[in-house]
Amino acid sequence: MAACIEEVSSSLVREYLSRKGLKRTIACMDEEHPRTEASINNRSHLRQILNLEDLYRKNKEHNCPLKSLLEIIVKYHITNVKVDKINCNKSDFLQSAPIRLFDSPAVTSAVVNDTKVKGLRSDPEEVCCSKPVSISSLPESKSPSSHSFWAAEAENQMDPLVSASLMDKQTPAFESTQKSRANRARRGLMAGPVTKTSLSTNSKGQNQRLPKKDEDYRQNNAEPLMAGVHHKSSITQGNSGESTRGCQDLRKASERQQRGNSYKTEGLDSPKTQKVRSGPEVSELNVSEMVLDDISDDDLQEVSRASLQRTAADHSFDGRPMDQHMATELKAVLLGSCVKCFPLEWRSQAFTFSEMHDLRYGIVQKKGGPCGVLASVQAFVLKMLLFECPHGIDTGLQKLRPSNTARTKCLVKAAAEILWRAGEERRATVVINSGRNHFTPVGHYKSEGVLEKMTCFIFDNFNNLLLFVEQHIEQFELGPLGCILLTISAVLSRSIEKVREDMDVPTATLIGAHGYCTQELVNLLVCGRAVPNVFDDDIELDSGKGNVTLLKGIKSNCDVGLLSLFEHYNICKVGAYLKTPRYPIWLVCSESHFSVLFGLQRELLTSQDQSLQFDLYYYDGLANQQEEIRLTVSVGKWSPSFKDVGADLVPPLDLCIRTRWNDAYVNWNDTEPIL
């Protein structure tokens, strides 16, 4: 029965999100709470289960009918269901004037026993401290930011007398809550909504006095409160865990409170301590400034560490604005001439991830052209995601459903590694968009507002490089020039001179006809050298009369590999360095387009067994892919006969796979083959 209720509830929420068009929220929900066979995907069926046919029919008769079933249910309960007055009164007392509840011991006991609302910041059972909090009593070692935290915590405290009565009725769950709250206090993070109105300070850094109406209210009600409190031998303190001496300390606390109020009434500051309000009024809260978040200890430490590093790094990295000479050289090696401009497909392309639930790891390509750059970065993102980034208990396909933070972190590491390798692991250059022109073009240089706005940062330390890329990852992931920025950064990391030396023909370019990526650019990103060939090592060709032509190839094993359809047609030869990379990830070159093929187990690269059966996953950022494509590859005795299949019906991807595994049979697992 419980499972049925849970499925109906989740289906009701999904129906609401669907009617509101919140596709990303649905994707997040499906990730955290996956659908099952019991999930209800039919709206009519859901109405029948919830007995909403009559309400649904009445709703349709209105001029502006509600769209979702959840809204219909809420409207019905708001307009037709009467709330119990006693419970309402108790709830109103707790929220609006909790101090008046304690006019008598009987009322105090009854309300505390009946109050079961937990998990809210305003609940009495979550009070951490039973005495007034003063700013002067905070540890001296705390920074100014920690002072605001403690003051904000104090705002959420109730009157000390209310806290004292509630502390006597602690439960094990409450003790656990107190322990968790203490941990959060030590970390400097509040567990609930934090508003900017938590603590007001004047220009001297002192706390401003409370509104006079609030002071009068506290002062006038101090004496009646004392009459309604049960005397206890000890009261447990929420934050420190120290014990006090019962009613005498409570009376002293009340007297101190009255003295503080009298100072404020006369317009003077209280000596040594300053009273803090127990909480802001509802009308004073700015809901848009509230922050609700769940952060683990590890995440908090990492965020704090990164924040401190970023603050320090922002003042230590000096950039060099790009000048026209460098811009001219870059255009020559990228486009072939300084009078040419970057294609529109490049200027509007960034490394933006897909929001499809099964393809959250995938980088989306808008238009044809920069596919080689995107596929190269995609390959290294997959490498980080599958084999290098810690995931706890995540295994297999679970790693391919990363959170936004996890995939952005993988993009940071992938970009930094690509640039560091291009700089021979000794130096790297990162180019970012400064947003303003650094030079006014003269002569034949054709301006397009791209290179003129770039600033170059040079690093000889990988950790500094990683930190800087993390600071500016938005320009790569979301900015319109993300693809161009990474390409130029890779060229400058290698240096323009060495890029030309890598090429067989010095006049070759990295961006070819129709804006396509050349093999030189792909090899620069994958292997760190802008060589034009994919075979192993260099090859010398004797062209006669003592003339020798040197063809430059791949020098060593790479982290990610490459498979090419051109090899199937005997146009080129892919060497073992690219066919057998360190990780089971390959770029696929087919019909002048680059995509990615990858596996989840590194064992398939080292297995000596001639008969294998394994899965490979295929991703093409340009194909508007809507679902995961899983290919089952059978080799040796596992491979059925495929010789009877017509050559025109064999998908090009199958032919690429067979250049790596001879006579392999590829099963597309009910997915439509890409022909």
Side-chain angles (χ1 to χ4, degrees), residues 325-391:
H325 174 72
M326 181 181 292
T328 301
E329 293 295 317
L330 278 172
K331 278 200 170 187
V333 74
L334 288 169
L335 302 169
S337 172
C338 64
V339 297
K340 292 184 178 181
C341 297
F342 289 98
L344 178 62
E345 295 81 5
W346 286 72
R347 282 182 282 155
S348 61
Q349 182 65 59
F351 301 99
T352 305
F353 287 98
S354 171
E355 294 302 332
M356 299 297 298
H357 177 258
D358 293 337
L359 304 173
R360 289 182 55 80
Y361 62 85
I363 297 174
V364 179
Q365 182 177 351
K366 297 180 179 179
K367 296 181 180 179
C371 55
V373 177
L374 297 174
S376 301
V377 175
Q378 178 71 78
F380 282 97
V381 167
L382 286 167
K383 171 199 163 188
M384 302 295 173
L385 199 63
L386 295 173
F387 302 105
E388 294 193 0
C389 288
H391 291 276

Side-chain angles (χ1 to χ4, degrees), residues 104 439 571 633:
S104 67
F439 66 90
I571 298 176
V633 180

Side-chain angles (χ1 to χ4, degrees), residues 495-642:
S495 82
I496 298 176
E497 295 76 13
K498 288 186 177 181
V499 167
R500 292 198 180 279
E501 292 176 3
D502 292 337
M503 299 175 176
D504 290 345
V505 180
T507 57
T509 61
L510 299 180
I511 300 178
H514 310 292
Y516 292 159
C517 291
T518 62
Q519 191 64 50
E520 288 91 337
L521 178 53
V522 172
N523 286 344
L524 173 63
L525 300 176
V526 172
C527 308
R529 298 174 68 243
V531 296
N533 304 297
V534 293
F535 48 70
D536 295 344
D537 302 319
D538 297 343
I539 297 178
E540 292 184 355
L541 294 179
D542 186 0
S543 55
K545 298 181 181 181
N547 296 325
V548 177
T549 301
L550 181 63
L551 303 180
K552 300 165 186 173
I554 308 301
K555 295 292 187 181
S556 61
N557 278 97
C558 304
D559 285 350
V560 301
L562 178 129
L563 302 176
S564 177
L565 184 62
F566 293 120
E567 182 176 14
H568 171 76
Y569 295 117
N570 295 321
I571 298 176
C572 71
K573 174 64 177 177
V574 179
Y577 290 152
L578 288 176
K579 280 187 179 179
T580 310
R582 297 188 183 94
Y583 299 89
I585 305 171
W586 295 268
L587 274 68
V588 176
C589 179
S590 176
E591 306 293 344
S592 300
H593 178 63
F594 289 92
S595 49
V596 181
L597 185 72
F598 61 95
L600 305 181
Q601 295 84 23
R602 297 184 66 178
E603 292 76 17
L604 66 90
L605 294 173
T606 58
S607 176
Q608 302 298 324
D609 191 355
Q610 299 299 319
S611 299
L612 299 174
Q613 189 173 41
F614 52 89
D615 287 341
L616 294 177
Y617 295 84
Y618 178 72
Y619 179 74
D620 185 358
L622 184 61
N624 193 24
Q625 192 170 325
Q626 300 293 320
E627 60 181 354
E628 183 179 79
I629 298 178
R630 179 177 61 88
L631 311 174
T632 300
V633 180
S634 303
V635 183
K637 67 179 182 180
W638 297 100
S639 176
S641 175
F642 58 86

Side-chain angles (χ1 to χ4, degrees), residues 37-49:
E37 295 181 356
S39 298
I40 304 170
N41 299 318
N42 186 287
R43 194 165 184 246
S44 177
H45 186 202
L46 186 60
R47 288 201 307 266
Q48 295 175 2
I49 293 179

